[in-house]
Amino acid sequence: MKLTRRDMLKLGAGAVALSATGIHPMAAPANTAVKRIPIGLQLYSVRHACAKDLPGVLKAVSEMGYEGVEYAGYYGRTAKELHKLQDDNGLKCCGTHTGLNTLSDDAFDATVEFNKTIGNKYLIVPGMSHEYTGSIEALKKTAKLYDKLAKKAKTVDMLVGYHAHGGDFRDMGGQTPWDLLFGNTCDDVVMQMDVGNCIGGGGDPYALLKKYPGRSKTIHLKEHGGDKKAVVGEGDVDWKQVFEICESTGGTEWYIVEHERGVEGAMENVGRCLANLKKMGK
């Protein structure tokens, strides 16, 4: 390839810039870019608006700059209808909150088909009854169930996980339900940390994200503390630390915003969440 004089000048300027940093031009890595983690929205944040006008919400969410959505209900839409709405707005599905009953032997195939149609591979259980979490014995039994489900999901290129709530960090004889579940499951079970819920329940999200490397495939970015109207970036969460862990050892594939502080102005609030994340370089 023949280089023009302009090309040579550009190369020369680049070499000078590298030299100023102490890096020899020939030693510079070919690609030093850090993989960027896309940002989605948990639609539960704007559930009332979704119930009135789901197409309008997805359009607005896309225009805000969100790249994906996580469902917590489908508002009477079929999988094909949801897929079309996503495509029309350039959105991907970054998860579904689906009850444990939808992963039972009788319902599993239909759940997989629905989620594959909308382009989702993350099957996240949003909560469990006392039957599954009420005692140490129950939690260990539940852990075995999640291992079984994760193994089954893996055969169809999908993932099963569990979402954090405040009660998951209560004391149970020196242990917590969170540790009893994830400490007794295989690495294929997704640990969907909810930062705000964890802190609110007395847990340490930073320590737990570090404790289970590679398992935070998706994580809920929810604020805690600050003013009662504070959105992501305006409370007490150490977001810098969260991002450092997710982007190094967490194995995180999606950041998912969830905002639950009041119904009034919900759409505006999730827009503010994303704007603040952009200011933080996300």
Side-chain angles (χ1 to χ4, degrees):
M1 177 178 71
K2 185 177 180 180
L3 295 176
T4 65
R5 181 174 180 274
R6 181 176 293 178
D7 293 330
M8 293 298 291
L9 287 171
K10 287 181 180 179
L11 288 170
V16 170
L18 283 169
S19 295
T21 65
I23 301 173
H24 190 280
M26 297 304 291
N31 182 13
T32 58
V34 176
K35 181 184 177 183
R36 181 183 167 279
I37 297 174
I39 303 174
L41 175 68
Q42 167 50 260
L43 291 175
Y44 187 77
S45 309
V46 289
R47 56 196 178 279
H48 298 288
C50 287
K52 294 177 181 177
D53 182 12
L54 182 62
V57 169
L58 294 187
K59 182 175 185 295
V61 164
S62 175
E63 290 174 348
M64 288 176 190
Y66 282 101
E67 296 155 84
V69 290
E70 181 181 52
Y71 295 98
Y74 307 114
Y75 306 98
R77 305 280 174 162
T78 66
K80 288 183 178 179
E81 288 171 335
L82 293 175
H83 185 264
K84 185 178 187 305
L85 286 173
Q86 292 165 201
D87 278 357
D88 288 347
N89 293 288
L91 294 166
K92 295 180 179 179
C93 181
C94 55
T96 56
H97 273 192
T98 185
L100 195 55
N101 62 306
T102 70
L103 300 175
S104 67
D105 289 341
D106 292 339
F108 187 83
D109 290 343
T111 298
V112 167
E113 182 180 359
F114 187 100
N115 281 273
K116 281 189 174 292
T117 300
I118 62 175
N120 174 53
K121 69 175 182 178
Y122 310 97
L123 307 174
I124 308 297
V125 176
M128 294 183 288
S129 67
H130 184 78
E131 174 189 356
Y132 296 97
T133 64
S135 67
I136 292 174
E137 293 73 21
L139 279 157
K140 288 182 177 180
K141 184 177 179 180
T142 299
K144 291 181 180 179
L145 173 60
Y146 272 84
D147 270 354
K148 175 186 173 183
L149 292 173
K151 183 177 180 180
K152 191 173 182 179
K154 193 171 186 178
T155 65
V156 289
D157 299 319
M158 303 194 87
L159 296 165
V160 167
Y162 177 70
H163 171 75
H165 287 281
D168 295 319
F169 307 98
R170 69 186 187 277
D171 180 69
M172 293 184 76
Q175 302 179 83
T176 66
W178 192 258
D179 277 326
L180 284 164
L181 179 62
F182 289 102
N184 289 288
T185 49
C186 65
D187 289 347
D188 290 327
V189 178
V190 175
M191 183 185 83
Q192 191 182 67
M193 174 60 70
D194 182 305
V195 179
N197 284 355
C198 180
I199 297 174
D204 182 341
Y206 321 111
L208 290 168
L209 287 170
K210 292 176 182 176
K211 185 175 182 178
Y212 298 100
R215 299 185 68 174
S216 301
K217 300 297 183 187
T218 68
I219 178 173
H220 274 207
L221 308 184
K222 183 186 293 176
E223 191 55 84
H224 183 271
D227 183 87
K228 65 179 182 179
K229 294 184 179 180
V231 299
V232 171
E234 298 176 3
D236 299 331
V237 175
D238 183 350
W239 290 112
K240 181 179 179 182
Q241 186 174 180
V242 171
F243 298 142
E244 285 176 349
I245 300 168
C246 288
E247 293 166 20
S248 57
T249 61
T252 306
E253 297 172 359
W254 278 94
Y255 288 138
I256 302 175
V257 167
E258 185 174 24
H259 183 80
E260 294 186 87
R261 292 182 170 185
V263 174
E264 294 297 323
M267 290 297 293
E268 178 186 353
N269 287 335
V270 298
R272 288 169 56 210
C273 286
L274 184 60
N276 285 345
L277 287 168
K278 296 295 185 184
K279 290 177 184 177
M280 289 185 261
K282 299 300 128 186

